[in-house]
Amino acid sequence: MATSTKSHKLITLNELTEKILSYAPDADIALLRKAYYFSHEAHCSQKRKEGTPYIGHPLSVASMLADMHLDVMTIIAGLLHDTVEDTETKLQDIKEIFGDEVAFLVGSLTKLSKIQFQTREDAQAENFRRMFLAMAEDIRVILIKFADRLHNIKTLQHLPPSRQRRIAQETLDIYAPLANRLGIGWMRIEFEDTSFKYLMPAVYRDLLKKVAKRREAQEGYINEVARQIKEKLASYDIPAEVSGRVKHLYGIYRKMQIQQIPFEQLYDVLGLRIITDTQNHCYEILGIIHSLWTPIPGRFKDYIALPKSNMYQSLHTSVIGPKGERVEFQVRTREMHRIAEEGIAAHWMYKEEGRVLQKDAKYIKWLRELIQSQKDLHDAKEFLDVVKGEVVPEVVYVFTPGGEIKELPSGSTPVDFAYGIHTEVGHKCVGAKVNGRIVPLRYQLQSGDTVEIITSPSHGPSRDWLKFVVTQRAKSRIKQWIKAEERKQSLELGHKILETAFRKRGLSPSIIKSPEMDEVAAAFSMRSREDLIVSIGYGKVSAQQVANRFQPEKKEEAAAEEVLLKKPLKKTKDIGGITIKGVDNILYHTAHCCYPVPGDRLVGFVTRGKGVTIHRHDCPNLERLAVDDTRLVKVDWTPTGDRTSITKLNVETMDRPGMLAKLSALFSSMNVNITHLEATSTQDGRARFTFFIQAKDKAQLLKLTQKIASTEGVFRVRR
Ligand code: MN
């Protein structure tokens, strides 16, 4: 039993050429030899940390690339990868001697390592970003970089511990997830286990011991299971290679961490892998396994019908084997096994044309999209977070109504799906049907779901969506929209507030557009007039302060305003109105004193830093707030779609059993949700209920009030 590894051992140039000729008989060996001597000479004065000649490093890198059966140009680039970076060699020389292709690969690798960084975190993130960009151009750049890194971490023992840890951490953070994403299973395992060894030596050694013990205890048993299945498959004439497999150490560690369980409770440390010839045989073998032993529910996974996003395919199942012990099986074809091990490298292996195959186009597309969606992000750290988030291998596959398959990270909702189709579909999304049924927007999509998005042209996203969307694409699009919308509304609002303030002082509102406004904006440390007006709209800057710059307030007036506490609420007709168009929770908040709903007569109050709070026009609190009436605005609130607002109803009834049930039934008969309820009994045999409900608008509320009022036993209903 062994995990697959490709060891790096120092080989000679002749061994390297033999290796290449074994799979690429017409490779340009003369050019390869030239590259070897060129690299040897360029690095002649350098030594590796361990004291051996430097050429050992590029030679090892080239050897790994040959193990991956890559084309000879890639291997030549592997031999030359450090020459431009570390020696006097010019890229132009490489171009003249080895041609454009090799020069491109070496040039990309040099660029990749040439960037200057502020902090280590920046370095990682920027490095990652560069790699993606390079990868989108030519995946071989990454394969060489991977081989380079693999040889470097394999020879870490010669470095001081602090550098060991830094390189190991970077390998674990960046190289391993990337190798996984590209499906290069063996490399991911090497990256993870070697980094793990340097980062947590004690944990590593402990697990190593435990796994060895487990192996000793179970090997006989696993071999017995293997013998039984082999015998059975032979009797059915199904070709199969059965072998034991051990989960890699970092994989074990991660599983223990994620599931919060001790090693003793992990059942899939040891398992069996069956490799056969055809896909049909895979399913037949699965059937035979399940007929021999009882499968454990929930453990069967069909990655053949639904491959992982890195193209991994296999059938996984766990059964209760002989003597009641669990055994995990992986069943796959030889080709699937090759893809599981080599991933994208399998597609880059030497072939006549040497160009990208159709299958690879999927990766390249994924990369392009990722880079595309991130090109606005200047912050490399943010980019890294994004990529790490997206690299999570667990995905769900869902269908469009047209039967097209879409891949999304698991936990995705219809909103993620909608943004995945198009930004506008996301923005206008109001509902979704999954398999023909209406579902909430926060519904978590399952593999196999058919998803249909319901849109409305007048609709915009809600801030609440940010609480449940999982794709970075949806998150950034929603945030962008909210930001733009907030600014637009604040600008409009700020304008109106400022106009009112100017009029009050007898100033012309046209000042807002005058050059003096730019100076005032600068005095408030704003970049532009528009920024200043937006800040007024947000309530961050008061309109009075701005008006004062043009005409200082008279003392008596200021004093008068302070004692205006008793002042009745002024009509708001000279204050511009604002219209809410279904935008909730963004710039507008409904007041939790009077709980307004669409259809009520409303007044908005500009709250510092929070935009507008909407009150009913007769709300008692408004009188107190009306001291600064430039902060009042008229509000028109148009109900949209099925949107509801929380409001409350006070109901006074006779205190008798069944009253509450009767009222509740009435609410639900009108499709009104009760979110919260308060009830008290009074001395005189009455009951008082306060229902907090989700109402659509005033019309619905009125109808509801009438129905309640006409119910037997109800004395009074009011808001
Ligand atoms: Mn190197």
Side-chain angles (χ1 to χ4, degrees):
M1 295 199 208
T3 50
S4 156
T5 57
K6 303 212 170 169
S7 64
H8 72 288
K9 39 188 175 309
L10 278 181
I11 63 165
T12 63
L13 176 59
N14 282 339
E15 284 167 330
L16 178 65
T17 41
E18 263 170 49
K19 207 186 266 188
I20 297 167
L21 286 173
S22 73
Y23 66 87
D26 56 352
D28 190 345
I29 296 300
L31 197 64
L32 179 93
R33 299 185 77 89
K34 206 184 249 178
Y36 173 83
Y37 291 115
F38 186 96
S39 179
H40 197 287
E41 186 145 333
H43 292 295
C44 67
S45 57
Q46 280 177 287
K47 285 240 165 30
R48 292 280 287 179
K49 279 282 178 306
E50 61 269 33
T52 55
Y54 196 88
I55 189 68
H57 169 63
L59 194 56
S60 299
V61 169
S63 165
M64 270 187 242
L65 296 168
D67 282 337
M68 292 159 80
H69 290 198
L70 294 171
D71 63 289
V72 75
M73 291 304 163
T74 310
I75 297 167
I76 290 174
L79 283 171
L80 300 171
H81 80 272
D82 278 332
T83 54
V84 177
E85 195 195 336
D86 294 350
T87 76
E88 299 297 304
T89 309
K90 299 273 171 296
L91 194 57
Q92 191 56 34
D93 304 337
I94 304 249
K95 199 170 190 162
E96 274 159 25
I97 305 169
F98 301 99
D100 290 348
E101 193 178 351
V102 172
F104 168 78
L105 294 171
V106 174
S108 302
L109 285 157
T110 310
K111 264 191 265 165
L112 213 54
S113 45
K114 267 241 170 91
I115 324 132
Q116 292 294 311
F117 305 111
Q118 307 280 317
T119 66
R120 208 195 317 137
E121 269 203 330
D122 278 357
Q124 274 190 2
E126 188 56 33
N127 226 336
F128 205 36
R129 196 161 126 121
R130 293 277 165 161
M131 271 204 236
F132 268 93
L133 288 167
M135 202 154 47
E137 272 192 85
D138 194 326
I139 201 81
R140 293 176 300 174
V141 174
I142 292 313
L143 297 177
I144 301 168
K145 188 77 193 160
F146 275 6
D148 179 30
R149 172 53 60 108
L150 192 49
H151 184 247
N152 284 338
I153 58 161
K154 286 287 179 188
T155 49
L156 267 189
Q157 69 271 24
H158 308 290
L159 295 179
S162 66
R163 279 201 68 198
Q164 287 178 350
R165 271 194 305 278
R166 185 183 69 70
I167 293 172
Q169 190 68 54
E170 189 187 59
T171 306
L172 199 58
D173 286 348
I174 292 175
Y175 289 81
L178 209 46
N180 182 36
R181 181 72 221 197
L182 297 176
I184 315 173
W186 72 272
M187 233 176 206
R188 171 200 168 192
I189 288 171
E190 291 265 345
F191 282 148
E192 287 187 346
D193 277 0
T194 316
S195 309
F196 184 35
K197 187 169 90 185
Y198 284 101
L199 288 171
M200 286 172 276
V203 184
Y204 177 89
R205 276 196 306 271
D206 180 53
L207 266 187
L208 198 64
K209 248 187 256 158
K210 282 179 172 159
V211 170
K213 243 186 177 169
R214 170 83 62 98
R215 215 158 128 164
E216 206 176 295
Q218 286 196 334
E219 199 152 32
Y221 176 72
I222 292 280
N223 286 342
E224 172 55 21
V225 177
R227 194 193 58 77
Q228 290 186 24
I229 188 77
K230 263 190 224 163
E231 203 173 87
K232 194 84 178 175
L233 292 177
S235 76
Y236 282 96
D237 231 7
I238 297 172
E241 266 170 53
V242 182
S243 58
R245 52 167 285 276
V246 187
K247 208 180 182 66
H248 76 292
L249 288 181
Y250 188 69
I252 293 173
Y253 172 75
R254 270 263 307 270
K255 196 156 187 180
M256 285 163 59
Q257 292 296 305
I258 293 170
Q259 301 188 355
Q260 294 285 310
I261 50 174
F263 180 80
E264 289 64 36
Q265 283 175 32
L266 272 187
Y267 296 109
D268 57 354
V269 173
L270 277 75
L272 284 168
R273 180 177 291 151
I274 304 179
I275 296 175
T276 185
D277 54 350
T278 63
Q279 188 170 309
N280 279 349
H281 276 148
C282 291
Y283 287 103
E284 271 180 60
I285 292 170
L286 178 81
I288 291 165
I289 294 170
H290 285 181
S291 71
L292 280 176
W293 303 291
T294 310
I296 299 167
R299 294 300 306 266
F300 169 59
K301 293 200 182 99
D302 186 350
Y303 293 120
I304 290 180
L306 294 172
K308 287 191 185 182
S309 59
N310 60 13
M311 293 200 209
Y312 175 89
Q313 287 187 298
S314 259
L315 299 175
H316 290 188
T317 191
S318 293
V319 298
I320 309 284
K323 292 185 226 154
E325 292 222 41
R326 290 172 182 231
V327 190
E328 196 203 46
F329 284 92
Q330 295 178 349
V331 186
R332 53 175 77 153
T333 64
R334 183 145 299 287
E335 175 64 9
M336 290 170 194
H337 184 59
R338 202 170 67 95
I339 301 287
E341 289 291 301
E342 309 287 344
I344 197 159
H347 302 289
W348 264 107
M349 285 178 180
Y350 171 81
K351 44 191 163 304
E352 295 299 312
E353 284 99 285
R355 284 272 59 98
V356 183
L357 288 179
Q358 202 48 37
K359 270 186 177 175
D360 305 330
K362 194 185 149 187
Y363 284 125
I364 311 286
K365 187 167 163 270
W366 175 78
L367 291 167
R368 290 246 155 85
E369 278 174 4
L370 191 66
I371 292 159
Q372 192 68 24
S373 72
Q374 296 308 323
K375 73 171 181 232
D376 309 332
L377 296 182
H378 304 298
D379 183 0
K381 177 69 173 44
E382 201 173 335
F383 178 77
L384 179 58
D385 292 343
V386 166
V387 175
K388 277 192 187 162
E390 297 271 8
V391 164
V392 172
E394 292 303 317
V395 292
V396 292
Y397 293 88
V398 296
F399 298 95
T400 66
E404 198 188 324
I405 194 158
K406 293 268 172 200
E407 180 194 308
L408 291 165
S410 68
S412 288
T413 63
V415 177
D416 293 292
F417 177 86
Y419 277 101
I421 290 175
H422 195 276
T423 302
E424 281 307 304
V425 177
H427 286 346
K428 307 268 172 267
C429 164
V430 284
K433 279 185 182 173
V434 165
N435 307 324
R437 278 225 186 92
I438 298 265
V439 294
L441 287 178
R442 58 172 66 242
Y443 169 85
Q444 293 201 347
L445 298 172
Q446 307 295 314
S447 274
D449 281 350
T450 297
V451 190
E452 189 186 333
I453 297 298
I454 306 163
T455 57
S456 157
S458 61
H459 198 74
S462 155
R463 190 182 284 276
D464 283 349
W465 293 1
L466 291 173
K467 290 180 197 147
F468 57 75
V469 295
V470 297
T471 52
Q472 198 54 37
R473 186 184 166 84
K475 274 184 202 159
S476 64
R477 295 297 190 278
I478 295 166
K479 280 185 196 159
Q480 271 171 19
W481 190 91
I482 290 173
K483 233 179 169 173
E485 191 64 17
E486 277 187 355
R487 192 175 165 87
K488 211 172 81 195
Q489 293 178 351
S490 298
L491 185 65
E492 195 183 319
L493 188 60
H495 231 277
K496 278 166 185 157
I497 295 169
L498 203 52
E499 263 179 37
T500 314
F502 281 176
R503 283 217 183 85
K504 259 184 73 184
R505 307 264 167 105
L507 293 164
S508 160
S510 65
I511 296 175
I512 298 174
K513 293 200 176 83
S514 71
E516 286 98 310
M517 264 301 277
D518 290 323
E519 285 164 35
V520 173
F524 278 91
S525 312
M526 296 287 169
R527 268 185 308 181
S528 67
R529 187 194 326 170
E530 198 179 282
D531 280 0
L532 177 61
I533 300 170
V534 167
S535 297
I536 294 168
Y538 271 120
K540 281 183 196 150
V541 172
S542 96
Q544 270 75 16
Q545 283 173 283
V546 176
N548 281 346
R549 296 264 166 179
F550 292 97
Q551 185 179 331
E553 214 171 354
K554 289 190 196 99
K555 285 242 170 66
E556 318 81 82
E557 267 181 30
E561 251 181 51
E562 266 169 44
V563 294
L564 268 180
L565 278 163
K566 288 278 157 60
K567 186 176 131 184
L569 180 60
K570 270 223 278 192
K571 275 174 262 113
T572 49
K573 72 166 192 284
D574 58 335
I575 299 167
I578 53 168
T579 308
I580 304 179
K581 299 186 195 89
V583 182
D584 54 347
N585 296 326
I586 292 181
L587 196 58
Y588 304 94
H589 312 264
T590 51
H592 281 197
C593 39
C594 53
Y595 291 98
V597 295
D600 281 332
R601 271 181 68 196
L602 304 169
V603 175
F605 182 78
V606 183
T607 313
R608 287 199 201 288
K610 280 176 78 184
V612 176
T613 308
I614 300 163
H615 296 263
R616 277 153 62 189
H617 80 290
D618 52 355
C619 176
N621 279 333
L622 262 186
E623 203 166 309
R624 187 172 51 78
L625 299 171
V627 175
D628 185 357
D629 66 3
T630 57
R631 290 168 69 186
L632 293 176
V633 284
K634 206 175 88 189
V635 176
D636 265 330
W637 191 358
T638 334
T640 25
D642 287 332
R643 291 295 174 106
T644 56
S645 312
I646 300 277
T647 189
K648 62 174 191 189
L649 276 184
N650 294 301
V651 183
E652 214 176 291
T653 68
M654 280 166 35
D655 190 5
R656 67 174 191 214
M659 202 64 229
L660 181 58
K662 203 149 88 180
L663 289 174
S664 306
L666 207 150
F667 280 107
S668 70
S669 77
M670 288 200 53
N671 272 324
V672 172
N673 256 346
I674 301 170
T675 61
H676 175 65
L677 166 76
E678 285 161 16
T680 49
S681 302
T682 58
Q683 300 283 3
D684 54 352
R686 290 174 180 230
R688 287 207 186 97
F689 298 103
T690 306
F691 293 94
F692 291 84
I693 56 170
Q694 291 173 311
K696 251 171 85 173
D697 55 17
K698 192 167 186 183
Q700 187 193 35
L701 211 54
L702 265 176
K703 230 160 114 189
L704 191 65
T705 316
Q706 281 161 9
K707 276 206 173 177
I708 297 171
S710 61
T711 304
E712 204 208 320
V714 171
F715 298 124
R716 211 155 72 115
V717 195
R718 61 192 165 80
R719 282 177 73 184

